[in-house]
Short mmCIF file of all heavy atoms in Angstrom, two decimals:
data_model
loop_
_atom_site.label_atom_id
_atom_site.label_comp_id
_atom_site.label_asym_id
_atom_site.label_seq_id
_atom_site.Cartn_x
_atom_site.Cartn_y
_atom_site.Cartn_z
N GLY A 1 0.77 -1.26 -0.01
CA GLY A 1 -0.02 -0.03 0.04
C GLY A 1 0.83 1.25 0.00
O GLY A 1 0.23 2.36 -0.04
N HIS A 2 2.13 1.18 0.01
CA HIS A 2 3.03 2.36 0.12
C HIS A 2 3.78 2.61 -1.16
O HIS A 2 4.49 3.60 -1.24
CB HIS A 2 3.94 2.19 1.31
CG HIS A 2 3.25 2.41 2.65
ND1 HIS A 2 3.01 3.57 3.24
CD2 HIS A 2 2.82 1.35 3.52
CE1 HIS A 2 2.37 3.37 4.34
NE2 HIS A 2 2.26 2.06 4.55
N ILE A 3 3.75 1.70 -2.10
CA ILE A 3 4.59 1.84 -3.30
C ILE A 3 3.86 2.25 -4.55
O ILE A 3 2.77 1.71 -4.90
CB ILE A 3 5.28 0.42 -3.68
CG1 ILE A 3 6.10 -0.09 -2.41
CG2 ILE A 3 6.19 0.57 -4.91
CD1 ILE A 3 7.24 0.79 -2.07
N LEU A 4 4.36 3.29 -5.16
CA LEU A 4 3.80 3.80 -6.43
C LEU A 4 4.87 3.62 -7.48
O LEU A 4 6.03 3.70 -7.17
CB LEU A 4 3.45 5.32 -6.33
CG LEU A 4 2.45 5.74 -5.26
CD1 LEU A 4 2.42 7.24 -5.18
CD2 LEU A 4 1.06 5.18 -5.57
N SER A 5 4.40 3.36 -8.68
CA SER A 5 5.42 3.21 -9.78
C SER A 5 4.77 3.36 -11.17
O SER A 5 3.53 3.22 -11.21
CB SER A 5 6.27 1.92 -9.63
OG SER A 5 5.39 0.86 -10.03
N ASN A 6 5.57 3.42 -12.10
CA ASN A 6 5.08 3.28 -13.52
C ASN A 6 5.10 1.76 -13.90
O ASN A 6 6.19 1.31 -14.40
CB ASN A 6 5.94 4.12 -14.46
CG ASN A 6 5.49 3.84 -15.94
OD1 ASN A 6 4.35 3.65 -16.21
ND2 ASN A 6 6.50 4.08 -16.79
N GLN A 7 4.10 1.03 -13.51
CA GLN A 7 4.20 -0.43 -13.47
C GLN A 7 4.33 -1.09 -14.83
O GLN A 7 4.90 -2.13 -15.00
CB GLN A 7 2.97 -1.00 -12.84
CG GLN A 7 2.94 -0.73 -11.27
CD GLN A 7 1.82 -1.44 -10.56
OE1 GLN A 7 0.76 -0.85 -10.37
NE2 GLN A 7 1.91 -2.66 -10.29
N ASN A 8 3.89 -0.42 -15.95
CA ASN A 8 3.86 -1.02 -17.27
C ASN A 8 5.07 -0.42 -18.08
O ASN A 8 5.02 -0.52 -19.27
CB ASN A 8 2.57 -0.79 -17.96
CG ASN A 8 1.41 -1.33 -17.33
OD1 ASN A 8 1.46 -2.50 -16.78
ND2 ASN A 8 0.32 -0.67 -17.24
N ARG A 9 6.16 -0.15 -17.38
CA ARG A 9 7.29 0.46 -18.06
C ARG A 9 8.08 -0.53 -18.91
O ARG A 9 8.11 -1.83 -18.52
CB ARG A 9 8.21 1.22 -17.02
CG ARG A 9 8.88 0.16 -16.07
CD ARG A 9 9.52 0.98 -14.90
NE ARG A 9 10.15 0.03 -13.96
CZ ARG A 9 9.48 -0.61 -12.99
NH1 ARG A 9 8.20 -0.49 -12.87
NH2 ARG A 9 10.14 -1.41 -12.14
N CYS A 10 8.75 0.03 -19.89
CA CYS A 10 9.75 -0.79 -20.66
C CYS A 10 11.12 -0.52 -20.07
O CYS A 10 11.45 0.63 -19.92
CB CYS A 10 9.64 -0.40 -22.11
SG CYS A 10 10.88 -1.11 -23.19
N LEU A 11 11.96 -1.52 -19.93
CA LEU A 11 13.27 -1.38 -19.34
C LEU A 11 14.41 -1.49 -20.30
O LEU A 11 15.56 -1.32 -19.94
CB LEU A 11 13.50 -2.54 -18.28
CG LEU A 11 12.53 -2.51 -17.04
CD1 LEU A 11 12.78 -3.69 -16.16
CD2 LEU A 11 12.71 -1.19 -16.26
N ARG A 12 14.07 -1.59 -21.56
CA ARG A 12 15.12 -1.61 -22.67
C ARG A 12 15.49 -0.22 -23.03
O ARG A 12 14.65 0.61 -23.48
CB ARG A 12 14.53 -2.38 -23.86
CG ARG A 12 14.43 -3.87 -23.57
CD ARG A 12 13.94 -4.61 -24.84
NE ARG A 12 14.96 -4.39 -25.93
CZ ARG A 12 14.86 -4.96 -27.12
NH1 ARG A 12 13.79 -5.71 -27.37
NH2 ARG A 12 15.82 -4.74 -28.04
N ARG A 13 16.76 0.09 -22.92
CA ARG A 13 17.32 1.39 -23.26
C ARG A 13 17.57 1.56 -24.74
O ARG A 13 17.94 2.62 -25.23
CB ARG A 13 18.49 1.74 -22.40
CG ARG A 13 18.19 1.83 -20.96
CD ARG A 13 17.05 2.85 -20.61
NE ARG A 13 16.71 2.89 -19.22
CZ ARG A 13 15.59 2.51 -18.71
NH1 ARG A 13 14.69 2.02 -19.52
NH2 ARG A 13 15.32 2.62 -17.43
N ASP A 14 17.52 0.38 -25.49
CA ASP A 14 17.77 0.50 -26.96
C ASP A 14 16.52 0.63 -27.72
O ASP A 14 16.48 0.44 -28.91
CB ASP A 14 18.46 -0.79 -27.42
CG ASP A 14 17.72 -2.06 -27.15
OD1 ASP A 14 16.76 -2.01 -26.41
OD2 ASP A 14 18.11 -3.11 -27.63
N THR A 15 15.46 1.08 -26.99
CA THR A 15 14.07 1.39 -27.68
C THR A 15 13.67 2.77 -27.25
O THR A 15 13.97 3.21 -26.14
CB THR A 15 13.03 0.33 -27.33
OG1 THR A 15 12.76 0.42 -25.89
CG2 THR A 15 13.56 -1.09 -27.58
N GLN A 16 12.90 3.38 -28.06
CA GLN A 16 12.39 4.69 -27.74
C GLN A 16 11.39 4.55 -26.54
O GLN A 16 11.45 5.40 -25.66
CB GLN A 16 11.65 5.31 -28.93
CG GLN A 16 11.03 6.68 -28.60
CD GLN A 16 10.65 7.41 -29.85
OE1 GLN A 16 11.31 7.43 -30.91
NE2 GLN A 16 9.48 8.13 -29.72
N GLU A 17 10.53 3.50 -26.52
CA GLU A 17 9.63 3.29 -25.41
C GLU A 17 10.36 3.19 -24.13
O GLU A 17 9.94 3.79 -23.05
CB GLU A 17 8.89 2.04 -25.61
CG GLU A 17 7.83 1.70 -24.58
CD GLU A 17 7.08 0.51 -24.79
OE1 GLU A 17 7.37 -0.31 -25.72
OE2 GLU A 17 6.15 0.20 -23.95
N GLY A 18 11.44 2.53 -24.06
CA GLY A 18 12.24 2.37 -22.80
C GLY A 18 12.84 3.71 -22.38
O GLY A 18 12.86 3.98 -21.14
N ILE A 19 13.32 4.54 -23.25
CA ILE A 19 13.89 5.86 -22.92
C ILE A 19 12.78 6.78 -22.40
O ILE A 19 12.95 7.54 -21.44
CB ILE A 19 14.67 6.45 -24.08
CG1 ILE A 19 15.87 5.47 -24.45
CG2 ILE A 19 15.10 7.80 -23.73
CD1 ILE A 19 16.73 5.23 -23.24
N GLU A 20 11.68 6.68 -23.05
CA GLU A 20 10.51 7.55 -22.62
C GLU A 20 10.11 7.17 -21.14
O GLU A 20 9.91 8.05 -20.30
CB GLU A 20 9.30 7.36 -23.51
CG GLU A 20 9.46 7.93 -24.89
CD GLU A 20 8.33 7.62 -25.88
OE1 GLU A 20 7.45 6.79 -25.51
OE2 GLU A 20 8.31 8.16 -26.95
N ASP A 21 10.08 5.92 -20.83
CA ASP A 21 9.79 5.47 -19.54
C ASP A 21 10.91 5.86 -18.49
O ASP A 21 10.55 6.15 -17.40
CB ASP A 21 9.54 3.92 -19.47
CG ASP A 21 8.17 3.57 -20.01
OD1 ASP A 21 7.23 4.46 -20.01
OD2 ASP A 21 7.97 2.46 -20.45
N ALA A 22 12.15 5.89 -19.00
CA ALA A 22 13.20 6.32 -18.12
C ALA A 22 13.03 7.77 -17.73
O ALA A 22 13.22 8.22 -16.63
CB ALA A 22 14.60 6.14 -18.75
N LEU A 23 12.69 8.60 -18.75
CA LEU A 23 12.45 10.04 -18.52
C LEU A 23 11.28 10.19 -17.56
O LEU A 23 11.29 11.08 -16.70
CB LEU A 23 12.25 10.72 -19.84
CG LEU A 23 12.06 12.27 -19.77
CD1 LEU A 23 12.70 12.93 -20.96
CD2 LEU A 23 10.52 12.63 -19.73
N LEU A 24 10.21 9.36 -17.78
CA LEU A 24 9.10 9.50 -16.80
C LEU A 24 9.51 9.28 -15.42
O LEU A 24 9.14 9.97 -14.49
CB LEU A 24 8.01 8.42 -17.32
CG LEU A 24 6.70 8.50 -16.62
CD1 LEU A 24 5.83 9.59 -17.12
CD2 LEU A 24 6.02 7.12 -16.77
N ASP A 25 10.28 8.18 -15.10
CA ASP A 25 10.73 7.93 -13.84
C ASP A 25 11.58 9.06 -13.26
O ASP A 25 11.52 9.43 -12.14
CB ASP A 25 11.57 6.59 -13.87
CG ASP A 25 10.75 5.39 -13.62
OD1 ASP A 25 9.56 5.51 -13.17
OD2 ASP A 25 11.30 4.25 -13.86
N LEU A 26 12.50 9.62 -14.11
CA LEU A 26 13.35 10.66 -13.66
C LEU A 26 12.57 11.87 -13.22
O LEU A 26 12.80 12.43 -12.07
CB LEU A 26 14.26 11.14 -14.84
CG LEU A 26 15.17 12.34 -14.53
CD1 LEU A 26 16.21 11.93 -13.47
CD2 LEU A 26 15.88 12.83 -15.80
#
């Protein structure tokens, strides 16, 4: 009940989707 996150994120940095999610986290 205390953890928030971008749960559906992509972790691959060699894809645009993954970099977008990294920026979101930042």
Side-chain angles (χ1 to χ4, degrees):
H2 290 276
I3 304 297
L4 303 171
S5 71
N6 176 27
Q7 288 186 263
N8 297 319
R9 65 193 179 279
C10 173
L11 297 175
R12 292 185 56 178
R13 297 301 178 249
D14 59 349
T15 67
Q16 180 167 321
E17 181 184 4
I19 298 303
E20 290 174 353
D21 284 336
L23 183 142
L24 187 78
D25 271 346
L26 176 67

